[in-house]
Amino acid sequence: MTADGLDAGLDAEVAVVGVGTMGSMALWALAEAGVPAIGFERFGLGHDRSAVGGETRLFRMAYHESPEYVPLLRQARRLWGELERRSGIQLFTRTGCLSIGDPDSEPMRNVRESIEANDLPHEYLDAPTLRRRYPQHRLRPDEVGLLDLEGGAVRPEFAVLAAAERAVELGARLHTDTVVDEVLPTGDDRVLVRAGGREYRVRHAVLATGPWLGRWLPGLDTAVTARRLVLSWFAPHRPEEFAVGAFPSFIRDTDGTHLFGMPIMDGVSVKAGFGDQFGDVDDPDRFVRDVRPEELGVLRDAVAELLPGVRPDPIRVSVHMDGYTSDRHALVGPLPGQPGVWLLGGFSGHGFKLSPAFGKIMAELIIEGRPSLPIDRFDPKRLLVSG
Ligand SMILES: Cc1cc2nc3c(=O)[nH]c(=O)nc-3n(C[C@H](O)[C@H](O)[C@H](O)COP(=O)(O)OP(=O)(O)OC[C@H]3O[C@@H](n4cnc5c(N)ncnc54)[C@H](O)[C@@H]3O)c2cc1C
């Protein structure tokens, strides 16, 4: 055994492949638990060429996707606070999050069930009240609002930096600008990682490669696809109407339009983004980050209709990608047929807010063999043909 507690011949207990959102949080959780870990990131920390970037991510406690997420969201909220304290950087801003939609739609039913089952602080806004309170939104027929008082915004770039830097402070090693080319169980309770022209031997490897996850194994390529997401920022006519406190973060799912947005958080503009309706990215290595004219047209039309208080030509845009699964729930757990290799990906456009909770869960799976919160829904076996 070496001075740092490692068995001879091992470079670390755990290799984290991809130090973006989930990888940085897993590295942090492992380092807090005293596990020797090493992270590999193909770009720089907090870069905007994948699923990080764009200044803010929604945090919602009343969850469109399923009420099952609430315990994870509570854990994540607690850990955001802990990371803020450790780093001295404000990562979370409470803005409230307003869900707008048809009350009988699945997302709105899930929001209601999340609130009822967990006694979440909220306000129900019927259509006349919603129009009066938040005239910044133009409503379609049958739309109502549910204001999640615990909702807010997380700052993605600072979050990744804070988690990775804290991990390094606690002893984790980090290689940026280093591509991992291969991860191979060697049959002796070890995994070989080839990165940057070198070989590393570890006991566990966590694949947290986001939109690149699909390329790691036949079977994964159909389980996780990379999709394109466009963010845009709009100049309001009256900035005071869109300030934090006057205008909550929002998410609306109506007649095929999935629009979400933020109050002014950069001092200038209101952010709005769409769901994953701009298609797949065939090869994440050749991702084109220019916004296309037809994408601009869709954004302009939606914003002109739904947010009449902003000028509909965006003053800024940015294009990103995320890894999506077919059921839009992540893959978290062992990779079947590959002992020592773990999956932490496929967060399908809604993973950021949850990332510290999933980083901790990955550390628990590796260290204790079981997570402290139920994660059956995320079992990779449900989507992977067994290897
Ligand atoms: C535009 C946009 C808006 C979003 N809005 C929200 C929101 O409001 N709220 C919310 O909760 N979620 C939101 N999401 C989703 C959330 O951001 C993602 O689900 C989450 O960030 C995914 O994290 P990840 O770690 O899987 O991927 P990433 O953060 O992309 O990390 C993957 C990392 O792996 C690295 N990598 C890949 N291959 C290799 C390799 N071979 N070697 C070394 N490194 C490698 C990449 O460079 C990258 O840094 C949004 C996503 C996007 C794109």
Side-chain angles (χ1 to χ4, degrees):
M1 189 167 290
T2 58
D4 51 7
L6 282 172
D7 282 358
L10 280 183
D11 293 281
E13 276 294 312
V14 184
V16 176
V17 183
V19 186
T21 312
M22 298 295 158
S24 64
M25 297 296 163
L27 206 60
W28 171 41
L30 289 161
E32 285 286 351
V35 176
I38 182 166
F40 299 95
E41 169 52 49
R42 69 188 308 147
F43 299 120
L45 279 185
H47 71 86
D48 64 351
R49 306 168 75 162
S50 182
V52 182
E55 288 165 8
T56 48
R57 291 285 182 274
L58 283 183
F59 183 93
R60 306 173 266 122
M61 193 67 94
Y63 218 51
H64 274 221
E65 291 76 358
S66 160
E68 270 181 68
Y69 280 80
V70 177
L72 286 160
L73 289 158
R74 284 197 157 134
Q75 170 83 300
R77 181 68 191 88
R78 191 184 65 69
L79 291 169
W80 284 121
E82 189 178 323
L83 191 54
E84 283 184 329
R85 284 190 295 281
R86 301 263 185 223
S87 63
I89 298 173
Q90 184 184 352
L91 301 172
F92 178 84
T93 305
R94 189 186 293 260
T95 60
C97 183
L98 180 61
S99 289
I100 300 177
D102 179 334
D104 295 325
S105 64
E106 193 184 332
M108 288 300 271
R109 278 205 313 273
N110 284 337
V111 166
R112 230 176 17 250
E113 277 175 37
S114 302
I115 289 172
E116 284 162 10
N118 298 282
D119 202 16
L120 301 179
H122 72 284
E123 287 180 46
Y124 172 75
L125 306 173
D126 61 17
T129 314
L130 182 52
R131 267 191 207 100
R132 204 171 47 248
R133 273 272 288 282
Y134 297 114
Q136 300 94 325
H137 292 285
R138 184 177 287 135
L139 300 189
R140 289 178 176 166
D142 302 323
E143 285 187 316
V144 298
L146 269 166
L147 181 58
D148 168 1
L149 295 170
E150 292 189 80
V154 183
R155 298 164 85 186
E157 299 87 352
F158 273 137
V160 169
L161 287 164
E165 285 169 3
R166 174 70 183 153
V168 169
E169 204 177 293
L170 291 166
R173 285 152 60 206
L174 186 57
H175 295 283
T176 52
D177 298 303
T178 304
V179 179
V180 172
D181 298 309
E182 196 175 13
V183 170
L184 194 68
T186 47
D188 52 356
D189 203 20
R190 292 180 180 200
V191 179
L192 174 73
V193 175
R194 284 204 175 89
R198 249 205 71 182
E199 290 186 350
Y200 299 81
R201 281 184 170 69
V202 292
R203 274 197 212 288
H204 303 268
V206 177
L207 300 182
T209 54
W212 281 263
L213 194 60
R215 70 166 48 166
W216 281 89
L217 264 193
L220 268 179
D221 53 348
T222 51
V224 185
T225 50
R227 290 205 190 140
R228 181 177 170 86
L229 288 100
V230 181
L231 295 174
S232 42
W233 288 260
F234 299 85
H237 293 293
R238 294 178 179 282
E240 68 279 8
E241 291 176 1
F242 291 90
V244 173
F247 185 70
S249 306
F250 70 91
I251 177 164
R252 57 194 296 180
D253 270 299
T254 309
D255 296 338
T257 310
H258 173 89
L259 191 69
F260 58 90
M262 293 282 171
I264 298 174
M265 303 208 49
D266 61 355
V268 179
S269 56
V270 179
K271 178 177 164 184
F274 267 100
D276 57 308
Q277 65 190 68
F278 295 126
D280 287 356
V281 177
D282 293 335
D283 179 357
D285 283 344
R286 294 183 214 288
F287 179 40
V288 178
R289 296 196 293 152
D290 292 337
V291 68
R292 301 170 184 141
E294 62 273 22
E295 293 170 337
L296 269 182
V298 171
L299 286 166
R300 235 187 247 126
D301 290 351
V303 164
E305 180 200 344
L306 300 171
L307 288 175
V310 305
R311 296 168 174 91
D313 276 319
I315 56 172
R316 180 154 63 104
V317 290
S318 65
V319 185
H320 306 270
M321 52 182 174
D322 197 5
Y324 278 72
T325 62
S326 53
D327 63 6
R328 293 172 183 257
H329 300 292
L331 302 175
V332 181
L335 177 57
Q338 305 282 312
V341 183
W342 301 82
L343 291 178
L344 182 60
F347 284 88
S348 307
H350 64 109
F352 206 93
K353 64 184 83 58
L354 291 153
S355 57
F358 277 112
K360 190 168 168 56
I361 277 172
M362 186 46 63
E364 289 167 351
L365 285 170
I366 289 173
I367 299 164
E368 290 152 34
R370 61 193 167 84
S372 55
L373 290 170
I375 56 160
D376 292 352
R377 179 183 271 277
F378 309 105
D379 188 343
K381 286 206 288 292
R382 77 188 189 284
L383 297 180
L384 297 175
V385 194
S386 65

